[in-house]
Structures are given as C-alpha cells and as structure tokens.
Amino acid sequence: MTSKWTYSFGGGDADGSAQMRNLLGGKGANLHEMSRIGLTVPPGFTITTEVCTHFTETEGDYPDGLNDQVGTAIAKLETIMGAPFGGGQTESKILLLSVRSGARASMPGMMDTVLNLGLNDEAVEILAAETGDERFAYDSYRRFIQMFGDVVLGVDHYHFEDLLEDYKLDHSLKLDTDLTADDWKTLIPDFIEVIENQTGQPFPQDPRQQLWASIGAVFKSWTNKRAETYRRLHGIPASWGTAVNVQAMVFGNMGEDSATGVCFTRNPSTGDNHFYGEYLINAQGEDVVAGIRTPQPLSLAEKENGNLSMPSLEEVMPSLYTELDGVRHTLEQHYKDMQDLEFTIQKGKLWILQTRNGKRTTKAALKIAVDMVDEGLIDRNEAIRRVEPGHLDQLLHPTLDPDAPRDVLSTGLPASPGAASGKLVFSAEDAENWASRGEDVVLARVETSPEDIGGMHVAKGILTTRGGMTSHAAVVARGMGTPCVSGAGDITVDVKAKTLSAMGKTLKEGDVITLDGSTGEVMDGTVATIEPELSGDFATLMEWVDGVRDMAVRANAETPEDAKVARGFGAQGIGLARTEHMFFDADRIIHMREMILAQDVDARRAALGKLLPYQRQDFVDLLSIMEGLPVTIRLLDPPLHEFLPEKKADVEKIAVALGVGVEDVERRAKELHEFNPMLGHRGCRLAITYPEIYEMQARAIFEAAADLAEAGKDVQPEVMIPLVADVEELFRLKDLVVKIADLVLSERGVDVTYSVGTMIELPRAALQAGEIAKEAEFFSFGTNDLTQTTYGLSRDDAGRFLQIYREKGVLEDDPFVTIDQDGVGELVKIGTERGRATRPGMKIGICGEHGGDPASVTFCHKVGLDYVSCSPYRVPIARLAAAQAALGVDAETNA
C-alpha cells in the first residue's frame, strides 16, 4: 500500500492539524490548523518530512506514488483558486506557487524558498493581462528568475545584482521601484542568459519542471552548511528532516492597496501585551525580512513610541489593521502562546501566510509566561515549561551602567537586548577566527544572511546598518540571546576595507565598540557595566519553580564574592569549594611554596602553620554566608608542581624570598614533574604521602566552624576527599579528619554536625561505590574528571578535535558540556545504586560543570540524585531545569 506523502489544506478544510508537526513540520502543521479554524490562508499542500528522509538517504530519489499525489494536490489547488497551473496562451488566469521549507523546529532563514513559481515567457503575459499591471507581472518574473537561479540552479545572486546595478547606472535610475515594465522586459533576457551561461542549460519554461526542481532544492537545503550549523547549535537532529509547503501565491506588490508584513502578538523583546510588527506597502515578503528596505511600524502606538515618521498600517489601512488584530487574538487564544505571523494584503484582501510560536528574549519569555498565567490562558506548570533554562543567561550578566560616560556613534533599532563590547570584525569568518583566539568580537555587517550563522554565534554582539526588528540579524540574535542593533543607517560599513564610519570617525578592524541592544545605541570604546537585578517576573517564576522541583541546587564557590552571588541566585548551599584556589593569593602562595620546598615533615608543618589562619578565615567567610546551608569543602586536589613558578625570573624571586638556592627550586620542580599529572600525584594521594596538608585544612575547617557555632550560627561543613579509588584511601583520610574534628570541637566545647565523604571521579570508584560507601557519608560525582578518565580525554586538549567529531557526527554533544549518559552517566547510575545499597538514603550529588547544563540536570533527576552543583550564575538555570525535569520536560527538545 502506498504511503500518504502529501496533505492538502485550504478552502476551509485541511488534511492535517497542529498535532502533526513531526510529519508536516511546524510551518505545515500550523497552515493546516489555521485552515481548520477558518482563517484566510492561501491554499496548498505539504509534502511530508518522511519524503525528505527518503530523499536524503537515497541521494535524490523520491518515494513511489509521490508524483501522482502531487498531481492530485495541484488539481485540488487549481479547483480552489479557479486558475490553472501552467496554462497556455488561451488561459485568462494563471496559478503561481511558492515552495517553502518547514522543519518541526523553527530554523529561520536556514533553508531555501522559491516564490512566483510557474512564470515563464507565456505566463508573464497572462499575469499582466489578468492584473492589468504589466510592471508588476514582469517584476515578478525577474524575481522568480533570480530566485530560481540562485536557490535551485546555484547561480550566485551577484550575477543578477551586477546586471541590475549596471542597468540602473546606465539609465540614471536609483531604486528598483524606478524601473518600468519595459525596463524589466529588457533585463529579463539578460537574466535568462546569465543562467544559461552559468549552468550550460536553458532556463526551464515548463512550470512542472520548475516545481520539481524547487522541491528538490528545498530538500537539499536541509543538508546545506548553514542549516547543519544551525541544527548543531540548537540541538536539532538531522534525522528530523524538513517538510515542503507548496502554496498558491498571493502578492503584496500589486500596488498601493497591497502590502506584506511580519508581526508578533506580543512584543518579542519586552513581552508587553501590545501588537508589534512591521510592514511594507507594495512589497513581497522577502523585502521585509531580508532587510533590504527599512519597513514601517504596524501600529500607531509603535510609531509614536519609536518616534518614527513613516505611517503605520493602522493609519494607512485601518480596517485591515483591525482585521489583522482580530486574527492576532484568535491565534493567541487558540495556541495559548505568543505567535509570530507573516501576512500579505493583496488588493485589499488579508491573507495569513504563516504562524508559529514566536522567538522571544528571555525577559519577554518570563513576562509572557507570568502574564498568561494571570490571564488564565495557561497554568503555572505550563509557564515553567515555556522558559528555556539555558536562555536565563541573558538575564544573569551585567548590563551597561546608565551613568557611565559613553561616546555614542549612532542609534539604530534595539533588535535584541543586552550589552556587549568587543573588537570590530566585518565578516563571519573573521569573527570565528578571532573568537578562536579568545578575543571578544562584535560582528558589523551591512546586513546579515544565513551564511553568517557561524560568526553570529561566536560574536558578543551584532550590528547591521540595514534591516528592521524582524530582519535576519534581529531574529537570529534574539534566538541566540546575543545583543543586536539593526538598521543603524547613520553608520557606513565598508566590508572590503574593514572600516566603520559614523559621526566623522572611522574605526578599523580590531577597534573596540559597545552595543546596547536594549536602546539601539552604538558606542565607541568600552562602556562600564552593572550587575543585573532579578525581581518581578523572574522572582515570580522562580518561586513557582521551587515549588515544583524536588532536587536541590547548590553552587561551586570558594570566594566570598561567589558565595554571595550564589546565595542571591537561590543556591541551597555550596556543593564544591575548591580549596586550592585559596592558595594562589600573593600573601599565601609564598607559604605554599615554602611547604613544597621543605625537606622534612617539621618544616612542612611550620609552613602549613603559616597558612592555617588564612584557611580558617576562608572557611569562616563561606560558612557565614551560607549559614543554615551545607558547605562541601574539597581538600587539596591538584599536584604540587602547579604551585611552583615556571619562568626563570620567578624562580629567582622565590629563591630569594625563601632564602634557598635557585638550584633547590629547580631541583624540586624537576622531582615533582609528571608526564600525566591529571592521573598522577594529586588528590587523596598527596594526603597519603603528606598527611600534614589535610591535617592543617581539617583544623582550619573545624576551628572556623567552632568560632561560628560559639556565635550561635548554624554551620554545616561537609569535608570531601578527592580522587579516591579505593576504600582504604578513604578509611585512612576520614580517620585523620575525624580525629582533628573531635579534638578541635572537644577543646572548644561545641557541637557541630558535619560529614565526611568523597568525590567519585574515577571509573573504579564508581564501580567500587558499594565498598567506598562503608566509609563515605556522601558522594559527589566529579563529572569533569569522571568524563576525562572514562573517555581517556584531556578536556584541556580535546577541544582541538571534539568540534570535528561533532561536525562529522561521531559525537552528538561535547561530553564536557552535556553528560554522556551511555558511558559516564552509566557510571553515575551504578555508583548511586551501589552506594545507596550499602548506605540507604545516602546524600548524592554532582559538582562538575554538568550541574548547570539543562540536559545533564534532567539526567541527574532521573537517576535520583539529591542535588546538582554549578557555577553561581548558572544556579537559576539549574533550578528551572530541575523543575522542568520534575514536570517531565525533555531538556533536549524542551517538550
């Protein structure tokens, strides 16, 4: 039995629905749904994602039965529109088509589109007679030739642009709209000749040949470089494929009573419940989103708020604006989410071309979610599901200080909020190259295109001199959470010369500029920033989040500053305080080096005694800030050579300061040298060799705890022994810690509740977790080192090739960013099960960087961990991810 490959919609009916997005793609499913609920949608049909999968796997073949089903769908379309597709000279009407992609996840601008399909040398004359507008017909034909040549036949668009620009120059014409029908008639044969010269084949005059070539081009675009890059950045599987939507063309460029536009049912930057969008009179859709013409505001309120001079749609076409506003409310009530619409007005009739859940800033996502709960559209759990945890980063970092001096070069459109400073670069390739060297860059372009996606991803900010709030740059930047200023028309960007000019100044590549994506300001130099304040909608959502999640979130912090930030962000304690970071201060490192250079245990103890007061104060600070919450303190972990200098001049300074010979320092460094220090003399192995190090640290911890307990404070220290591979290591070192604790607390006459546990960061430790749990009172999985030791990878070196692995599909994710559930995750699962089998109810968490990765947090929830610990600024991300995990949300698809 032949499968169903095509699904028709239009004329008040539809074969599909919104629930079929996996088969019909997001765009197709919504077109079917809008037809079902009675909106005026240009009729058409959807070719399913399964055809794309077949097409890709067979390298260009179509499944059996597709040709007949497409023929039937076109016949149905001809009946609805009352016009033939590919008619001859005897026809008085003509049916033209658009061919667009539509994956289940929105990928704006990443795949290909063909418009005005069906035009040829005969059809253009029928279209001119039917519309009574010869200029429109021939303009549409040249647009089709140009788009078909570029998208389908691979002829670079500059060939057409050069012809057009030369013609305008020769005839003293400035704008495309200045060209008459006769001008286009003159140019069209030249356009066709370009295609024939570049391809060696005649331009296809058969509309059905055009259609099949265009369908194939859209399917091929699923695997183009920009689409693959976008999928990798957004975690979209290649196996999903794209659908193809074939629709009857409607035209916004048929005169002053026609228009096209893009709009959002709420403001996508702020979340305010106001109709928001842009339109152009006498234009086609690509004119709005491509940024070639600066569009006009949709509403009068937008015009007034933006202090814009161009008339709004509400003023120019008030009845159609009212009709569009009604569609806005219908769609929001139906989908119960903010919608992103595309519309066309053809000769005074409104057509809805597309709707989808609108991309939005995190600030807007929070406001929309909270407001929709207040409006009764959704419940609190749905509001929690709506906000992507990773996007909270947009709210958790500094913004420009409003009182800081600034040298404003220009003000464009505030396309994507946030602040960014960086060195100017003028191409996506340069952005990627500079960023790979650790430079912060701002990408400046006249306008961006989908080919720029790689550079846009690494840029700290994006600036364009053309385009509006719904241009490619604006939409992609908002989706990435990258600050963006678009339409900065007072700025001149010369991409070839790599310069930016404004206000009489010329900046060159490498000069620093600052963008304020919330105001649209572009500034020379670096502008000071301030820390964010989280309140209002954020606080409301986080309160709901904390009422849902059942996994705690702690922070990795060892400085008072980090601990305060973490507690402010809602951390429920410290899951990892790395004590080695405390020794690098200038006042302390000298004593650490004295200890390392010491020749005997007494000398080592003397040096450690000088460090004791510093360590004690460190722990007083952390325990005080985290009063009433647990603080997990990892005893010294790295190998000792890391504390010794490498440069000759520094070695000489240390020798003088400690009163030893240079040769003594060099000899000790040579003794400590290891070929693979990550697997060498570090962690608990150091303490087995030099127990006095952990004795000093344990004394500092419990003296600090005793000081605070005497002051009536609730302190909860947890002492963590790192890099344990065998229970005997932990037995010996736990005994050391407990003896020091008992001695100090007995001397001080106070009671402090404490525990001693270990990091599980070696595969053997995970496998021996049952034995180790006989001594350990808690486990914390150190997934950074556990990933290294499981894969046999150094995370400091693997970056050189992991990206290649991802691009070639060897690995789907970087295992140092998202936990490898099949390998590392299996060890976590085994360690948890075996540990709790020995010690029921054992407290277990993770403290690697994975603790702030939403997908990894979901995994930790499934395994049954008690907490995750992450960097302070990722605490809110982990809180939200933990709540979504409790609600059953898949962190990879946010569904």
Side-chain angles (χ1 to χ4, degrees), residues 402-709:
D403 298 322
R406 56 186 72 188
D407 182 4
V408 179
L409 296 172
S410 179
T411 300
L413 299 172
S416 183
S421 296
K423 294 181 178 179
L424 269 173
V425 293
F426 295 88
S427 73
E429 183 179 0
D430 287 340
E432 293 182 82
N433 290 337
W434 284 53
S436 70
R437 302 198 300 264
E439 302 277 9
D440 290 344
V441 298
V442 171
L443 177 61
R445 304 283 286 162
V446 175
E447 60 202 6
T448 63
S449 70
E451 282 77 13
D452 294 326
I453 184 69
M456 295 173 76
H457 176 66
V458 300
K460 297 296 181 182
I462 299 165
L463 168 66
T464 68
T465 59
R466 290 186 195 162
M469 298 290 283
T470 52
S471 65
H472 176 266
V475 171
V476 173
R478 280 198 295 269
M480 290 180 171
T482 301
C484 176
V485 174
S486 64
D490 293 335
I491 289 177
T492 299
V493 166
D494 188 331
V495 175
K496 289 184 179 179
K498 297 186 177 181
T499 60
L500 180 154
S501 303
M503 300 287 288
K505 290 185 178 181
T506 298
L507 305 182
K508 61 183 184 302
E509 183 180 54
D511 289 341
V512 175
I513 67 167
T514 298
L515 305 181
D516 188 341
S518 300
T519 65
E521 289 183 326
V522 181
M523 292 148 279
D524 188 7
T526 302
V527 179
T529 59
I530 56 173
E531 294 300 313
E533 291 184 18
L534 300 174
S535 58
D537 298 321
F538 176 87
T540 298
L541 188 78
M542 286 294 112
E543 182 181 339
W544 298 344
V545 158
D546 292 341
V548 168
R549 65 185 172 90
D550 47 23
M551 187 166 61
V553 176
R554 300 190 193 181
N556 301 338
E558 49 275 337
T559 68
E561 294 76 20
D562 283 351
K564 288 174 184 175
V565 169
R567 184 136 198 181
F569 282 147
Q572 294 164 282
I574 291 177
L576 176 63
R578 306 172 181 90
T579 54
E580 61 270 12
H581 290 182
M582 301 169 176
F583 294 131
F584 284 97
D585 184 81
D587 294 334
R588 309 174 187 206
I589 189 69
I590 189 68
H591 303 309
M592 190 67 180
R593 288 166 172 168
E594 180 184 354
M595 185 274 294
I596 294 169
L597 293 170
Q599 296 297 307
D600 55 53
V601 66
D602 290 337
R604 279 194 298 275
R605 288 188 190 280
L608 288 166
K610 297 173 185 177
L611 284 170
L612 176 62
Y614 293 109
Q615 278 274 269
R616 182 170 55 238
Q617 188 58 48
D618 291 332
F619 300 137
V620 166
D621 292 340
L622 290 182
L623 291 166
S624 296
I625 293 166
M626 289 290 168
E627 182 183 4
L629 297 172
V631 176
T632 304
I633 300 164
R634 183 180 72 185
L635 302 185
L636 189 67
D637 183 42
L640 295 180
H641 76 85
E642 289 191 8
F643 297 96
L644 292 179
E646 295 182 0
K647 294 180 181 178
K648 183 76 173 178
D650 293 333
V651 170
E652 291 172 352
K653 288 180 183 178
I654 294 305
V656 171
L658 294 176
V660 298
V662 169
E663 66 277 5
D664 294 324
V665 180
E666 291 176 336
R667 174 184 51 77
R668 185 60 172 146
K670 188 174 181 180
E671 291 172 354
L672 293 173
H673 171 75
E674 295 177 299
F675 289 103
N676 193 343
M678 185 192 81
L679 299 178
H681 197 195
R682 52 169 286 216
C684 67
R685 300 161 190 172
L686 276 176
I688 295 292
T689 310
Y690 307 117
E692 54 272 17
I693 297 175
Y694 278 16
E695 286 174 3
M696 180 278 290
Q697 291 193 294
R699 177 168 287 277
I701 291 169
F702 291 105
E703 286 183 357
D707 288 346
L708 294 170

Side-chain angles (χ1 to χ4, degrees), residues 593-856:
R593 288 166 172 168
E594 180 184 354
M595 185 274 294
I596 294 169
L597 293 170
Q599 296 297 307
D600 55 53
V601 66
D602 290 337
R604 279 194 298 275
R605 288 188 190 280
L608 288 166
K610 297 173 185 177
L611 284 170
L612 176 62
Y614 293 109
Q615 278 274 269
R616 182 170 55 238
Q617 188 58 48
D618 291 332
F619 300 137
V620 166
D621 292 340
L622 290 182
L623 291 166
S624 296
I625 293 166
M626 289 290 168
E627 182 183 4
L629 297 172
V631 176
T632 304
I633 300 164
R634 183 180 72 185
L635 302 185
L636 189 67
D637 183 42
L640 295 180
H641 76 85
E642 289 191 8
F643 297 96
L644 292 179
E646 295 182 0
K647 294 180 181 178
K648 183 76 173 178
D650 293 333
V651 170
E652 291 172 352
K653 288 180 183 178
I654 294 305
V656 171
L658 294 176
V660 298
V662 169
E663 66 277 5
D664 294 324
V665 180
E666 291 176 336
R667 174 184 51 77
R668 185 60 172 146
K670 188 174 181 180
E671 291 172 354
L672 293 173
H673 171 75
E674 295 177 299
F675 289 103
N676 193 343
M678 185 192 81
L679 299 178
H681 197 195
R682 52 169 286 216
C684 67
R685 300 161 190 172
L686 276 176
I688 295 292
T689 310
Y690 307 117
E692 54 272 17
I693 297 175
Y694 278 16
E695 286 174 3
M696 180 278 290
Q697 291 193 294
R699 177 168 287 277
I701 291 169
F702 291 105
E703 286 183 357
D707 288 346
L708 294 170
E710 287 174 351
K713 294 196 173 185
D714 175 13
V715 293
Q716 301 174 28
E718 297 177 345
V719 182
M720 185 157 68
I721 312 295
L723 212 72
V724 164
D726 191 280
V727 67
E728 183 64 23
E729 293 170 316
L730 182 59
F731 170 76
R732 295 177 182 225
L733 296 176
K734 179 184 178 183
D735 183 62
L736 178 154
V737 170
V738 170
K739 284 179 178 176
I740 296 289
D742 290 348
L743 178 63
V744 171
L745 298 178
S746 175
E747 289 174 350
R748 302 290 290 273
V750 296
D751 287 326
V752 171
T753 300
Y754 71 93
S755 57
V756 181
T758 187
M759 280 183 96
I760 303 293
E761 48 195 327
L762 298 172
R764 189 179 195 279
L767 296 172
Q768 285 287 299
E771 286 297 305
I772 293 172
K774 292 177 179 177
E775 295 295 331
E777 295 167 286
F778 67 86
F779 284 165
S780 180
F781 286 95
T783 51
N784 297 344
D785 274 356
L786 188 58
T787 299
Q788 292 193 100
T789 52
T790 301
Y791 269 97
L793 282 175
S794 164
R795 65 173 171 161
D796 296 321
D797 301 313
R800 300 174 186 175
F801 59 84
L802 278 179
Q803 185 60 32
I804 297 171
Y805 266 50
R806 293 185 66 201
E807 289 173 358
K808 293 190 173 182
V810 178
L811 289 175
E812 188 170 326
D813 298 302
D814 182 336
F816 293 106
V817 175
T818 297
I819 197 165
D820 158 42
Q821 296 188 23
D822 296 333
V824 177
E826 187 66 16
L827 288 171
V828 171
K829 185 178 178 183
I830 289 170
T832 300
E833 291 172 349
R834 294 181 181 180
R836 286 178 175 159
T838 297
R839 190 182 290 265
M842 186 183 201
K843 187 191 313 185
I844 302 178
I846 72 164
C847 59
E849 288 303 308
H850 297 108
D853 171 63
S856 303

